[in-house]
């Protein structure tokens, strides 16, 4: 009898968990819109005719691309958050029209594309803009951030004197959200961290802190472990069209997210694109003028399947609005987009004359920090070429 009782006591938690799993499905109130191997998009009807859109991204099967506009100005010593105020650069990135970005992304990756969202907060509403907080792109910290609403010496509101910014870090297996240290740059200063964005915990967003938690368009992000192996392999992105940040975060909590929840750029800039459904939420026109100010954004995240590419290899470089001339002994970011895994070479030319071999071999990952040791003359151009096929190249006119 004692053996039977012990067996029942052992089995009870297992049976209870199984029964709960069978009777409660947190996604049961969501309408599936698209599912591929590694990602899914759902829609949930909220009160008063509002909607929420949930993306579930499995990082073991999906790849995340960070897409920025080209550099218009390096913003030398203007970075406030990476390794101390004024210790790093904070470039002005050209704002890119959301439709142009999605078109280019689909041309590069065809049917592998799943979705795209806008991401980092930005500072200026003009042709190019600085980003609010640091970003690491494929191993390179590309901006130190300039936001006046954060833990700097003189923030615009005293609430932000001591807030703790958060970092979303991801690789090809998992993602996690952790504290950011603006004095050391951790975790972005770690070599193992290749891609990361710094942003607010949802509850520290100025819309909640300073604007009475108003309902608006928002994007909140959390991570989740569903395979039983250590590490959160799922990235959950919730996009709401009219809700408070608390309500948006609560939707993720109900799906099982237990750790930190962050928010990225929202409001009138909010953008959600899906390959099958098209533009679901698009940035709005400005109420103050006819120009589509909020439709041009500086930083996006694209999500695509890791399977082999289905289109011809290509290198894409768009010319920024103003030509930025690299300066001797000062850092300069070379940015491009491509759709192949092989290495590239980067060279500086004056017409047909080779001026400098900037890098004979570097990864085709879209970013290279160059500090020229020579004077660069207007009219030179930078050529990025595939190492496998020199006929595959892109050029940036200086």
């Amino acid at each position: 009898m004692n053996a039977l009782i012990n067996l029942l006591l052992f089995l009870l938690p297992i049976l209870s968990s199984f029964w709960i799993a069978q009777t409660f499905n947190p996604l049961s109130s969501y309408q599936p819109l698209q599912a591929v191997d590694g990602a899914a998009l759902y829609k949930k009807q909220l009160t008063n005719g509002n909607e929420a859109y949930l993306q579930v991204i499995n990082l073991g099967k999906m790849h995340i691309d960070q897409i920025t506009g080209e550099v218009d100005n390096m913003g030398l010593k203007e970075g406030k958050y990476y390794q101390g105020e004024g210790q790093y650069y904070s470039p002005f990135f050209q704002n890119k029209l959301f439709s142009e970005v999605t078109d280019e992304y689909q041309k590069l990756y065809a049917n592998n594309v799943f979705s795209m969202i806008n991401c980092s907060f930005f500072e200026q509403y003009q042709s190019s803009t600085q980003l609010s907080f640091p970003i690491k792109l494929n191993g390179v910290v590309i901006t130190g951030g300039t936001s006046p609403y954060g833990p700097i010496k003189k923030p615009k509101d005293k609430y932000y004197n001591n807030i703790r910014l958060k970092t979303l870090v991801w690789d090809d297996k998992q993602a996690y959200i952790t504290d950011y240290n603006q004095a050391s740059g951790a975790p972005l200063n770690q070599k193992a961290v290749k891609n990361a964005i710094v942003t607010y915990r949802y509850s520290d967003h100025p819309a909640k802190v300073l604007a009475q938690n108003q309902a608006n368009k928002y994007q909140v992000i959390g991570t989740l472990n569903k395979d039983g192996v250590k590490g959160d392999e799922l990235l959950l992105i919730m996009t709401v069209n009219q809700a408070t940040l608390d309500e948006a975060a609560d939707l993720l909590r109900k799906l099982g997210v237990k750790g930190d929840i962050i928010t990225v750029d929202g409001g009138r800039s909010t953008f959600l694109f899906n390959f099958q459904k098209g533009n679901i939420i698009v940035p709005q026109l400005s109420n103050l003028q006819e120009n589509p100010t909020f439709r041009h954004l500086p930083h996006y995240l694209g999500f695509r399947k890791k399977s082999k590419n289905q289109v011809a290899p290509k290198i894409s470089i768009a010319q920024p609005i103003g030509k930025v001339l690299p300066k001797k002994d000062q850092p300069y970011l070379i940015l491009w987009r491509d759709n192949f895994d092989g290495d590239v070479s980067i060279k500086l030319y004056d017409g047909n004359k080779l001026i400098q071999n900037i890098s004979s071999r570097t990864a085709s990952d879209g970013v290279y920090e160059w500090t020229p040791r020579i004077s660069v003359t207007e009219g030179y151009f930078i050529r990025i070429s595939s190492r496998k096929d020199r006929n595959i190249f892109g050029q940036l006119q200086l």
Side-chain angles (χ1 to χ4, degrees):
M1 179 62 74
N2 288 336
L4 179 60
I5 292 174
N6 289 334
L7 179 61
L8 288 173
L9 290 173
F10 173 76
L11 290 175
L12 184 59
I14 299 174
L15 293 172
S16 297
S17 298
F18 177 78
W19 180 79
I20 291 171
Q22 295 301 307
T23 57
F24 174 68
N25 177 4
L27 282 174
S28 60
S29 61
Y30 288 77
Q31 173 192 354
L33 298 181
Q34 188 195 9
V36 300
D37 185 21
L41 171 68
Y42 301 89
K43 178 181 177 181
K44 180 181 177 65
Q45 201 66 40
L46 304 178
T47 58
N48 300 322
N50 298 317
E51 296 93 21
Y53 295 90
L54 169 69
Q55 295 183 81
V56 181
I57 308 294
N58 185 334
L59 291 170
K61 297 182 178 181
M62 302 294 291
H63 185 83
I64 304 177
D65 294 292
Q66 296 193 72
I67 301 166
T68 69
E70 284 67 30
V71 173
D72 243 357
N73 183 316
M74 278 301 293
L76 295 172
K77 296 185 179 180
E78 294 182 20
K80 294 181 179 180
Y81 293 92
Y82 189 68
Q83 299 183 354
E85 295 185 46
Q87 299 301 308
Y88 208 73
Y89 51 72
S90 184
F92 287 75
F93 295 97
Q94 181 180 349
N95 283 319
K96 308 276 287 186
L97 183 63
F98 70 90
S99 58
E100 293 177 351
V101 174
T102 54
D103 286 348
E104 180 186 64
Y105 197 54
Q106 291 178 96
K107 288 177 181 177
L108 286 173
Y109 301 110
N111 294 337
N112 285 338
V113 172
F114 179 74
S115 66
M116 179 175 287
I117 65 170
N118 64 303
C119 188
S120 291
F121 295 99
F122 55 99
E123 295 299 307
Q124 294 89 12
Y125 298 99
Q126 54 194 37
S127 61
S128 63
T129 179
Q130 293 173 302
L131 302 182
S132 295
F133 302 117
I135 288 174
K136 195 169 188 180
L137 168 63
N138 293 329
V140 178
V141 177
I142 62 172
T143 176
T146 61
S147 177
Y149 293 98
I152 55 176
K153 293 177 182 177
K154 295 181 179 180
K156 279 201 170 183
D157 188 274
K158 63 181 180 181
Y159 175 88
Y160 289 94
N161 279 322
N162 299 306
I163 71 157
R164 185 63 61 88
L165 294 171
K166 294 292 178 177
T167 309
L168 171 66
V169 179
W170 68 89
D171 56 29
D172 59 359
K173 294 181 181 179
Q174 63 182 347
Y176 61 90
I177 297 171
T178 189
D179 289 341
Y180 178 70
N181 186 321
Q182 72 272 12
S184 68
L188 273 64
N189 63 346
Q190 298 169 10
K191 188 174 182 180
V193 172
K194 299 300 182 183
N195 282 280
I197 60 169
V198 177
T199 188
Y200 295 113
R201 179 195 286 117
Y202 80 92
S203 55
D204 288 328
H205 189 298
K208 175 173 169 57
V209 175
L210 305 178
Q212 292 77 50
N213 199 26
Q214 61 185 352
N216 206 334
K217 296 178 181 178
Y218 296 111
Q219 309 212 75
V220 293
I221 300 175
T223 64
L224 195 61
N225 186 333
K226 297 295 286 186
D227 63 1
V229 179
K230 185 179 180 181
D232 289 3
E233 80 281 3
L234 297 183
L235 191 69
L236 272 59
I237 306 169
M238 187 71 69
T239 307
V240 295
N241 75 334
Q242 189 68 15
T244 67
L245 280 162
D246 285 337
E247 290 168 339
D250 188 57
L251 291 172
L252 289 184
R253 294 292 185 212
K254 290 177 179 177
L255 293 168
V257 174
K258 295 180 174 61
D260 280 320
I261 293 175
I262 60 169
T263 183
V264 293
D265 186 39
R268 286 183 286 182
S269 304
T270 303
F271 175 55
L272 172 59
F273 166 83
N274 172 260
F275 181 76
Q276 190 175 86
K277 298 297 180 180
N279 293 328
I280 296 173
I281 296 179
V282 299
Q284 295 172 302
L285 292 169
S286 169
N287 292 330
L288 302 178
Q289 55 188 6
E290 292 301 317
N291 294 329
T293 305
F294 297 98
R295 298 191 171 204
H296 294 74
L297 305 169
H299 185 249
Y300 299 81
L301 294 185
F303 304 89
R304 58 181 169 90
K305 291 181 283 187
K306 291 181 179 178
S307 52
K308 190 174 181 179
N309 202 26
Q310 301 168 1
V311 295
K314 180 182 179 182
I315 296 175
S316 176
I317 307 174
Q319 194 70 37
I321 292 174
K323 293 180 181 178
V324 183
L325 198 62
K327 297 179 180 179
K328 184 179 178 181
D329 298 325
Q330 294 183 351
Y332 176 79
L333 283 177
I334 302 171
L335 301 174
W336 72 94
R337 287 168 289 280
D338 63 47
N339 58 1
F340 52 88
D341 294 329
D343 292 338
V344 297
S345 63
I346 305 176
K347 298 181 180 182
L348 179 68
Y349 283 91
D350 178 13
N352 293 324
K353 181 181 178 182
L354 176 65
I355 302 298
Q356 183 180 348
N357 188 4
I358 297 172
S359 176
S360 58
R361 182 186 294 270
T362 188
S364 60
D365 55 15
V367 58
Y368 188 87
E369 185 185 272
W370 173 43
T371 301
R373 302 304 179 190
I374 61 172
S375 297
V376 178
T377 303
E378 185 174 351
Y380 286 6
F381 65 86
I382 294 171
R383 175 178 290 178
I384 302 168
S385 305
S386 166
R387 293 269 307 173
K388 292 182 179 179
D389 186 344
R390 298 296 182 185
N391 292 319
I392 302 170
F393 66 88
Q395 293 186 168
L396 179 65
Q397 189 72 45
L398 301 175

